[in-house]
Amino acid sequence: MGYTSKQLSKLMVDKLRRTFGRDVSEATDADMFQTCALVLRDIMSGNRVETREKNQKNNARQVHYLSLEFLVGRSLEKNAFNLGVLPQLKEALGSLGFSAADLFELEPDAGLGNGGLGRLAACYLESTATLEIPATGYSICYELGIFKQKIVDGQQVELPDNWLQLGAAWLVTRPEDTEEVHFGGHVDVSYENGRRVVRHSGYTTVLAVPRDMKIAGYKTNHTNRLRLWDAKSPTPVDLSRFSSGDYVKAVEEKATAEAIAKVLYPEDNHTEGKMLRLRQQYFFVSATVQSIVRKHKAKYGTLRNFHEKHAIQINDTHPTLVIPELMRILLDEEGYNWDDAWYITTHTVSYTNHTVLAEALERWPQDLIINLLPRIWLILDEISGKYQRRLEQEFHGDMDRVSRNAIIWDGQVRMANLCVCACQAINGVSALHSDILKNDVFHDAYRRDPKKFLNVTNGIDHRRWLAQINPGLHELMCEAVGSGDYLLHPELMVQLEKKAPVATAKRLGEIKAANKRAFSDWYAREAGVLLNTDAMFDVQVKRLHEYKRQLLNAMHIIYLYQRLKDDPHFTFTPRVYLFGAKAAPGYAMAKQIIHLINSLANTVNADPACKDRLQVVFLENYRVSLAERLMPAAELSEQISTAGKEASGTGNMKFMMNGALTIGTLDGANVEMCQQVGEDNMFLFGLTANEVAAKVQQGYRSYEYYNQNETLRRILDQMTRGFDDGVSYTDIVNSLLFAPNGGMADQYFLLADFESYRAAQALAGQTYLDPKKWNQMALVNIARSGLFAADRAVTEYAKNIWHVDVRKD
Ligand code: 26W
């Protein structure tokens, strides 16, 4: 059902009075933001009732997407867009004397994630709603999302991200759906009338209280839900009656319970094995499974058909404990025997792997699990024992292979091996990454059961990442397709290539120029810095990690700077280099790289030799809402990871869709991108994944590059010497030249790839001088980016993994 702006404005005025006791004339922007959110929430709630009734009637299989991260970002404009009321909302706000843009800007990002994996989960949930798949996302309602980054004296400082003040407007608390999660205690196993009885006692209880966020589909009333579990202590609030000893304990218990939902772990691609993290994991999977089981039993009265009615997706290994938790319920609470419980469980769960970095593979010390989750431990031990006996038979006692595949080994529980053992489908997130899983990381399991291993190349929500953030391009796309149909059929985007090519390319150039101006205007207001909009906007935004090689980019800028200083007539295409990246607070090398980029930026920007030619900007606090402003303005997209390390990348897709050209390695989804547009429409460079692997085998010696290449020597020497601020970056240089104990220097092959990167950069610069050619390349990239729509990816999950239907129109 549509709404006119009049109807919306009436709903808003009423809501404002009833909820906030205010008239329009008294309302602040914050009041009005919340009012809008509540009005849209009401519309979605109505739709949700319909969706629930439909699901209830269909008895269709339900999808449950378990993820410790959902990087949702802002929702007001997005929900209005999907509900088809965005123009009406803007008009209604205008008529009430408010600016829609100001209210959108007021909304805090829901930063419940670190980076790629979390943003992917948010895009996919939107897509399930649009594709009318009955799906629910589950995570934790972190009080503090990903930290806010400040740059002070060139260095990262972390500040808490208190998003719930206004962000809570989207959440509906459901106390009636509260679940109890048990930690600690002890377990007794006894036999009564020949039946095994397991008793868990002496545990502490934490209450899991759902706070639900509705997720509206586009052009459908279908509405899904993101269920965020909040942690509460069951201890009564009135503590004054407790004796003093109990009082302290009661307070302690409350604090420990509520710590679970306090903060998102800011580590990305690195695990530390902290107790609180394990508590978070079990807390959210236990609450989730209990709630699914409770509803299932109410509807069907049995769990026999559980696997037919539910598909549980494990988003990386973080929710792996869902496997033993479902086993626990089937065995202990429902009385199934092991084999039946195992059958049901393994036919329910699937696993997506998002990283092959060794330091990101989760392994938990078994003692931690024994103490915190004694019953879960027994189940894990039994799964592991059975699996190991199978492995020993299969590998004829080859203990090397047995140990590689084992679930519990050397006092540690390996979550990825458990997923591989129990899941009915295992997938990587790009063709290359899935091949690496099959040929390397999970090779033995792949050989045993090749059908279990699939690839689903990632995708992004093109409604948000194109239509919503880049209205100029959206308009052009609508003209090309003849309608807005591409919003539901991203494959129609190829029609952009069928339009008069010269005129279309020219339009693209104009759209990009306008977007660059809009970004610089915003940045001038925000940071007081003027960007040179005549220069190429060359952008690298993503988490800071050595494998992503922000340092390679910085080294190339140092090279350009040195050339400019040597020879003021050195000709090259003027550039604005933009960086945005958060470093995990404990990741010292990543923090030094941020510092280096800022030192370099200050030196370059202050040097008259660089005026109008070279500018370097570190954008503070990179986040979803900043990406939304930046992507439409970007011209060159830096996707320069060491080949074989970036599982897919999704930022690469956002840039492509907004008409930036890619400079990149053949890594992750860059490979599929290259298949789409051809090598002539991107700037490829560097070693391939196979070449990297071969170099590791042969023994890579980075100092040979250093010795033979004067350019590299000068760059590294400058990093040692430092820049205007006199800070020396010897740790960074040392990591490039000197092998740590038992390791290899420059493990991400920066020196090996430098010359090839420099050549690709030079070619990009040359090409930019011919705007016709550049815009034509951008056109091809945009037109062929439909493959990277989340709808395509989610449809593949639906068909090949979840076995559920999708919308047909
Ligand atoms: C336990 C600590 C931890 C936290 C997060 C380990 C690993 C992660 C994530 C798996 C890291 C991540 O976000 N991976 C990214 O996932 C994206 C979505 O599939 C991919 O596009 C990126 O290439 C991958 O780095």
Side-chain angles (χ1 to χ4, degrees):
M1 187 181 109
Y3 289 81
T4 63
S5 71
K6 272 226 173 69
Q7 287 169 322
L8 277 185
S9 113
K10 179 166 179 342
L11 289 172
M12 278 147 59
V13 172
D14 286 353
K15 186 58 92 186
L16 195 56
R17 282 171 165 254
R18 288 171 197 208
T19 309
F20 298 96
R22 295 221 167 134
D23 256 339
V24 176
S25 59
E26 307 165 283
T28 63
D29 275 4
D31 295 334
M32 203 39 136
F33 163 77
Q34 293 180 79
T35 301
C36 292
L38 294 179
V39 166
L40 296 192
R41 218 177 78 182
D42 287 350
I43 299 175
M44 292 189 286
S45 293
N47 292 345
R48 175 69 198 162
V49 173
E50 234 178 78
T51 306
R52 220 184 21 246
E53 280 165 3
K54 182 177 74 182
N55 294 345
Q56 191 67 22
K57 222 171 53 224
N58 288 347
N59 295 333
R61 197 176 197 206
Q62 311 241 344
V63 175
H64 308 278
Y65 198 91
L66 271 62
S67 178
L68 226 39
E69 305 186 11
F70 279 86
L71 194 44
V72 175
R74 291 176 173 159
S75 292
L76 181 53
E77 189 178 2
K78 171 65 183 173
N79 284 335
F81 183 90
N82 273 14
L83 293 168
V85 299
L86 184 55
Q88 295 89 319
L89 179 75
K90 287 181 180 168
E91 199 183 314
L93 280 168
S95 72
L96 297 174
F98 287 82
S99 138
D102 287 356
L103 294 200
F104 295 162
E105 191 54 27
L106 201 62
E107 180 172 5
D109 282 32
L112 310 182
N114 275 287
L117 159 133
R119 184 55 232 175
L120 188 80
C123 283
Y124 281 5
L125 201 54
E126 192 275 354
S127 204
T128 61
T130 297
L131 293 171
E132 300 177 348
I133 297 170
T136 308
Y138 300 87
S139 193
I140 292 174
C141 190
Y142 303 106
E143 190 180 318
L144 305 173
I146 185 68
F147 63 85
K148 283 194 178 143
Q149 179 193 54
K150 280 241 161 256
I151 300 296
V152 179
D153 295 333
Q155 288 178 276
Q156 167 173 301
V157 173
E158 300 95 27
L159 297 175
D161 165 48
N162 228 312
W163 71 287
L164 277 169
Q165 284 160 9
L166 284 182
W170 298 110
L171 302 177
V172 179
T173 305
R174 297 265 175 226
E176 69 279 13
D177 284 356
T178 297
E179 300 289 346
E180 277 192 17
V181 180
H182 297 164
F183 291 100
H186 30 85
V187 174
D188 299 301
V189 183
S190 61
Y191 289 85
E192 286 170 18
N193 308 324
R195 268 196 57 193
R196 210 162 91 126
V197 178
V198 179
R199 270 206 194 85
H200 186 189
S201 55
Y203 49 74
T204 2
T205 298
V206 178
L207 300 180
V209 184
R211 304 190 73 181
D212 292 350
M213 186 186 285
K214 266 143 205 129
I215 309 292
Y218 174 71
K219 272 210 176 153
T220 168
N221 285 351
H222 192 103
T223 304
N224 282 335
R225 217 176 36 176
L226 172 57
R227 174 153 278 198
L228 300 172
W229 296 102
D230 194 7
K232 291 280 169 223
S233 165
T235 314
V237 221
D238 179 11
L239 297 167
S240 55
R241 284 161 45 205
F242 282 46
S243 67
S244 64
D246 282 351
Y247 177 86
V248 170
K249 188 157 184 296
V251 176
E252 222 174 71
E253 231 175 83
K254 194 171 154 70
T256 320
E258 293 175 6
I260 291 177
K262 266 278 178 275
V263 61
L264 166 83
Y265 270 88
E267 274 85 40
D268 178 82
N269 270 310
H270 182 81
T271 66
E272 266 192 283
K274 288 265 166 62
M275 162 93 101
L276 179 60
R277 171 83 175 180
L278 185 65
R279 289 169 69 87
Q280 289 186 331
Q281 295 189 348
Y282 183 67
F283 168 76
F284 112 94
V285 300
S286 175
T288 300
V289 186
Q290 290 186 67
S291 112
I292 301 170
V293 164
R294 189 179 312 287
K295 287 188 185 141
H296 182 94
K297 277 187 70 182
K299 180 164 183 185
Y300 297 101
T302 171
L303 294 185
R304 278 274 157 225
N305 62 345
F306 187 82
H307 54 290
E308 291 161 17
K309 298 297 173 192
H310 304 280
I312 293 181
Q313 193 67 33
I314 302 179
N315 201 27
D316 215 80
T317 54
H318 321 149
T320 302
L321 289 172
V322 73
I323 296 163
E325 177 65 2
L326 181 52
M327 287 294 287
R328 180 188 71 76
I329 293 174
L330 291 163
L331 294 167
D332 301 358
E333 294 182 9
E334 302 295 328
Y336 284 88
N337 66 36
W338 182 275
D339 290 344
D340 289 349
W342 186 245
Y343 183 90
I344 293 170
T345 302
T346 55
H347 285 76
T348 304
V349 291
S350 304
Y351 158 56
T352 305
N353 174 288
H354 295 266
T355 177
V356 298
L357 294 196
E359 63 270 32
L361 280 186
E362 284 196 298
R363 297 159 176 226
W364 288 103
Q366 71 180 48
D367 292 340
L368 203 61
I369 299 189
I370 293 172
N371 285 322
L372 191 68
L373 309 167
R375 177 57 184 138
I376 292 300
W377 163 253
L378 293 178
I379 294 169
L380 288 172
D381 197 35
E382 196 156 341
I383 297 175
S384 171
K386 287 181 198 289
Y387 191 52
Q388 200 163 313
R389 286 191 284 282
R390 205 171 112 197
L391 293 173
E392 280 163 10
Q393 262 183 9
E394 194 180 317
F395 302 143
H396 308 291
D398 175 346
M399 290 314 278
D400 256 11
R401 292 173 81 191
V402 172
S403 74
R404 266 206 309 274
N405 290 276
I407 295 171
I408 302 177
W409 196 263
D410 245 358
Q412 295 201 308
V413 184
R414 296 138 161 211
M415 305 317 252
N417 284 353
L418 174 55
C419 283
V420 167
C421 158
C423 286
Q424 51 111 21
I426 297 142
N427 77 284
V429 289
S430 73
L432 174 67
H433 170 61
S434 294
D435 283 345
I436 293 173
L437 294 183
K438 289 186 229 179
N439 301 329
D440 184 2
V441 185
F442 301 134
H443 183 63
D444 292 321
Y446 170 64
R447 285 244 305 254
R448 178 192 321 130
D449 206 345
K451 286 188 306 297
K452 280 210 312 196
F453 286 80
L454 309 171
N455 172 56
V456 184
T457 299
N458 282 166
I460 56 172
D461 169 8
H462 68 299
R463 290 169 284 276
R464 179 186 287 261
W465 292 107
L466 197 171
Q468 188 189 314
I469 69 171
N470 197 340
L473 184 55
H474 169 61
E475 199 186 304
L476 181 63
M477 193 61 82
C478 289
E479 283 172 32
V481 176
S483 67
D485 286 359
Y486 87 96
L487 290 170
L488 284 175
H489 302 280
E491 66 284 357
L492 296 177
M493 290 168 71
V494 292
Q495 293 187 15
L496 193 67
E497 279 181 81
K498 309 225 164 71
K499 259 180 89 80
V502 179
T504 310
K506 187 158 167 281
R507 280 273 295 278
L508 284 176
E510 289 158 6
I511 293 166
K512 186 62 79 182
N515 290 339
K516 283 170 72 179
R517 282 194 300 274
F519 183 80
S520 342
D521 289 348
W522 173 78
Y523 193 64
R525 287 197 301 274
E526 196 73 3
V529 174
L530 288 179
L531 301 177
N532 176 10
T533 47
D534 294 329
M536 182 203 296
F537 277 18
D538 178 327
V539 187
Q540 186 170 22
V541 284
K542 47 184 80 245
R543 281 302 285 251
L544 210 135
H545 203 292
E546 286 161 279
Y547 85 80
K548 295 177 187 278
R549 301 202 293 193
Q550 283 94 349
L551 182 58
L552 179 61
N553 188 349
M555 283 166 55
H556 178 256
I557 301 172
I558 296 173
Y559 153 75
L560 290 177
Y561 179 56
Q562 291 175 338
R563 284 291 304 262
L564 262 172
K565 296 296 279 181
D566 291 348
D567 171 11
H569 303 294
F570 168 55
T571 52
F572 82 108
T573 308
R575 307 255 188 147
V576 178
Y577 284 97
L578 296 139
F579 290 87
K582 287 180 182 174
Y587 188 176
M589 187 59 76
K591 287 185 144 176
Q592 285 179 44
I593 293 170
I594 290 181
H595 196 180
L596 180 144
I597 295 169
N598 280 295
S599 294
L600 170 63
N602 291 335
T603 299
V604 164
N605 299 341
D607 194 327
C610 298
K611 189 168 181 319
D612 296 333
R613 307 180 78 188
L614 185 59
Q615 191 177 12
V616 181
V617 174
F618 190 94
L619 302 163
E620 204 173 64
N621 199 29
Y622 180 60
R623 60 197 183 280
V624 175
S625 56
L626 176 47
E628 289 172 355
R629 292 186 180 279
L630 183 58
M631 294 294 168
E635 296 180 292
L636 192 64
S637 154
E638 301 268 353
Q639 306 302 333
I640 60 178
S641 52
T642 314
K645 299 294 182 197
E646 188 69 272
S648 160
T650 43
N652 48 359
M653 302 169 183
K654 292 162 197 163
F655 282 109
M656 178 193 193
M657 218 173 247
N658 283 281
L661 302 187
T662 300
I663 182 165
T665 48
L666 276 176
D667 198 16
N670 297 354
V671 176
E672 281 97 323
M673 194 179 283
C674 184
Q675 277 164 5
Q676 290 300 298
V677 303
E679 286 186 28
D680 291 347
N681 286 301
M682 15 189 334
F683 304 102
L684 287 179
F685 75 95
L687 298 167
T688 63
N690 286 332
E691 288 165 352
V692 167
K695 271 207 163 2
V696 172
Q697 285 294 312
Q698 293 155 13
Y700 164 59
R701 281 175 295 275
S702 60
Y703 64 81
E704 288 174 2
Y705 290 84
Y706 178 81
N707 285 338
Q708 283 157 23
N709 186 326
E710 151 136 41
T711 309
L712 273 175
R713 264 202 316 276
R714 286 190 64 198
I715 297 168
L716 266 59
D717 294 350
Q718 167 112 54
M719 297 200 296
T720 307
R721 250 191 349 266
F723 303 87
D724 287 357
D725 59 11
V727 180
S728 154
Y729 293 94
T730 41
D731 285 358
I732 296 180
V733 174
N734 288 345
S735 80
L736 295 174
L737 293 181
F738 305 114
N741 263 345
M744 186 180 83
D746 186 20
Q747 59 167 322
Y748 296 111
F749 296 88
L750 281 74
L751 301 203
D753 272 349
F754 182 79
E755 278 305 326
S756 159
Y757 180 56
R758 179 165 73 143
Q761 279 285 359
L763 180 61
Q766 270 303 312
T767 311
Y768 191 76
L769 297 177
D770 179 354
K772 272 203 191 118
K773 169 124 204 270
W774 185 276
N775 291 331
Q776 176 56 33
M777 288 168 73
L779 194 165
V780 171
N781 272 270
I782 298 166
R784 301 184 193 179
S785 68
L787 178 76
F788 298 115
D791 292 353
R792 187 269 314 149
V794 169
T795 303
E796 288 177 19
Y797 277 95
K799 285 204 174 111
N800 305 329
I801 297 179
W802 303 330
H803 307 293
V804 298
D805 291 334
V806 304
R807 172 179 190 171
K808 296 223 166 45
D809 60 336

